[in-house]
């Protein structure tokens, strides 16, 4: 019974940390869509919309306060700029994203350390094991968000790289058909909003900056700083240079599309070349022993029966 209660406590703490992370880092567009769905849905009881609107800012303010205390020293140096860039690459564009990230790390570390303490007290472990368990789980909660941020950045980079060739092709078609750059961007965002949401989010921000009065070169430079991965930076570099020399936007986009597809082809060749090396371990240590067992074990059994039958 005690172990069951401990498991429930650990799951509750993990769920609290995950909920804090989602509420703090959730994009505003999702919140807007959720609020619209809640407002449009028939009320079967008390409305949740005022509760969500009240809870999220309070939680964010609490995490910001914790993050300022936990990240004191790191938030006042150039490390804050590097962390801010990593958070932007992961899709978190809030002004207080760095403070909230430190607050989430502090919350996760405290929750995991409390879970370790509860586990040690329940199992009646010695002082040495208690300290090791609390410190180990506390460090897991402290560095777990960092690993999660890396995985999210990598997944976002792959998603943007997958959608970039299709978006550039549609931009080429729209521009060569006579559309202006903002109109072409609007078309891409409208067509690929559901298929490639990460890329469309970046393009929509670039479009908003251009509509607010920024030049095409400034909007492209900011897009390059916000986007993870080298392909978007290469695309923006080509477009900025073509804009500086007065070259045709359609020709520059077509050249960029060819370069992007060539880079994807080379990346596919590299992955194919790595495949035999990656398959060596499962083949030698997993598949080959099973195959040997399936083939030779019946033969050995038949041989043993023949030998001992005499």
């Amino acid at each position: 019974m005690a172990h069951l209660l401990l498991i429930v406590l650990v799951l509750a703490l993990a769920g609290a940390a995950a909920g804090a992370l989602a509420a703090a880092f959730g994009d505003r567009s999702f919140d807007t869509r959720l609020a619209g769905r809640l407002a449009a849905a028939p009320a079967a009881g008390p409305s949740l919309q005022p509760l969500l609107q009240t809870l999220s800012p309070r939680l964010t303010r609490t995490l910001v306060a914790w993050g300022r205390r936990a990240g004191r020293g790191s938030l006042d140096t150039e490390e804050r700029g590097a962390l801010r860039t990593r958070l932007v690459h992961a899709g978190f564009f809030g002004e207080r994203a760095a403070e909230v990230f430190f607050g989430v790390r502090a919350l996760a570390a405290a929750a995991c350390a409390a879970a370790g303490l509860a586990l040690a007290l329940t199992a009646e472990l010695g002082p040495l094991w208690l300290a090791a368990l609390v410190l180990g789980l506390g460090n897991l909660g402290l560095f777990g968000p960092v690993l999660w941020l890396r995985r999210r950045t990598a997944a976002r980079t792959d998603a943007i790289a997958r959608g970039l060739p299709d978006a550039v092709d549609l931009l080429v078609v729209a521009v060569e058909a006579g559309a202006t750059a903002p109109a072409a961007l609007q078309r891409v965002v409208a067509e690929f909003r559901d298929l490639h949401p990460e890329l469309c989010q970046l393009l929509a921000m670039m479009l908003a900056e251009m509509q607010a009065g920024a030049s095409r070169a400034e909007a492209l430079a900011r897009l390059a700083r916000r986007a993870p991965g080298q392909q978007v930076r290469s695309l923006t570099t080509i477009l900025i240079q073509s804009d500086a020399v007065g070259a045709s936007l359609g020709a520059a986009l077509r050249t960029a599309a060819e370069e992007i597809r060539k880079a994807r082809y080379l990346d596919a060749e590299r992955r194919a070349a790595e495949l035999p090396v990656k398959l060596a371990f499962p083949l030698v240590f997993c598949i080959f022993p099973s195959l040997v067992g399936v083939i030779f074990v019946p033969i050995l059994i038949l041989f043993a029966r023949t030998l001992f039958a005499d």
Side-chain angles (χ1 to χ4, degrees):
M1 186 65 180
H3 293 288
L4 180 61
L5 293 176
L6 178 61
I7 293 174
V8 172
L9 175 62
V10 172
L11 292 177
L13 292 174
L21 187 65
F25 286 124
D27 59 345
R28 299 297 97 189
S29 60
F30 175 77
D31 294 339
T32 303
R33 294 195 303 269
L34 179 62
R37 293 289 182 85
L38 291 176
S47 177
L48 295 178
Q49 185 176 358
L51 178 61
L52 292 176
Q53 293 178 350
T54 305
L55 179 61
S56 182
R58 290 181 180 178
L59 180 59
T60 303
R61 287 195 298 268
T62 303
L63 291 176
V64 167
W66 289 356
R68 286 175 177 173
R69 296 188 182 93
R72 186 175 299 171
S74 298
L75 294 176
D76 300 332
T77 62
E78 63 275 5
E79 295 181 1
R80 187 184 189 280
L83 176 60
R84 183 76 179 86
T85 302
R86 291 166 55 193
L87 290 170
V88 168
H89 288 172
F92 305 127
F93 305 102
E95 296 181 357
R96 299 296 181 182
E99 287 81 359
V100 173
F101 182 70
F102 273 103
V104 169
R105 292 184 65 186
L107 176 63
C112 291
L117 179 61
L119 177 62
L121 294 178
T122 303
E124 298 181 356
L125 300 177
L128 183 61
W129 285 103
L130 186 146
L133 192 59
V134 170
L135 291 176
L137 291 180
N139 286 323
L140 179 63
L142 184 64
F143 293 103
V146 178
L147 300 177
W148 173 82
L149 183 65
R150 292 179 182 176
R151 292 179 60 88
R152 179 182 171 89
T153 304
R156 184 178 174 83
T157 302
D158 293 339
I160 291 175
R162 286 194 302 268
L164 191 60
D166 298 333
V168 175
D169 287 340
L170 185 55
L171 280 175
V172 171
V173 173
V175 170
E176 291 184 348
T180 61
L185 287 174
Q186 287 180 349
R187 184 65 178 176
V188 170
V189 172
E191 290 291 336
F192 296 128
R193 188 184 301 274
D194 297 329
L195 187 60
H196 304 298
E198 296 84 2
L199 180 60
C200 288
Q201 183 184 24
L202 296 177
L203 295 180
M205 295 175 68
M206 175 184 169
L207 178 62
E209 291 175 351
M210 294 175 63
Q211 292 175 346
S215 64
R216 188 188 302 171
E218 292 175 352
L220 286 170
R222 292 171 184 170
L223 174 64
R225 289 195 295 267
R226 285 192 295 264
Q230 187 61 34
Q231 292 185 355
V232 179
R233 299 190 186 99
S234 301
L235 173 63
T236 55
T237 301
I238 293 174
L239 295 180
I240 290 173
Q241 291 176 354
S242 66
D243 190 33
V245 301
S248 173
L249 180 59
L253 286 172
R254 189 173 294 278
T255 302
E258 292 177 357
E259 293 295 329
I260 290 172
R261 294 193 181 279
K262 191 179 299 181
R264 291 187 65 180
Y265 181 76
L266 293 176
D267 183 67
E269 286 186 340
R270 179 185 60 82
R271 292 174 181 267
E274 293 176 353
L275 190 60
V277 179
K278 294 180 179 179
L279 286 176
F281 180 82
L283 282 174
V284 173
F285 294 99
C286 299
I287 298 178
F288 183 71
S290 302
L291 187 61
V292 169
V294 170
I295 294 175
F296 290 102
V297 167
I299 298 175
L300 293 176
I301 293 175
L302 181 60
F303 178 77
R305 287 179 179 178
T306 306
L307 181 65
F308 293 105
D310 298 336

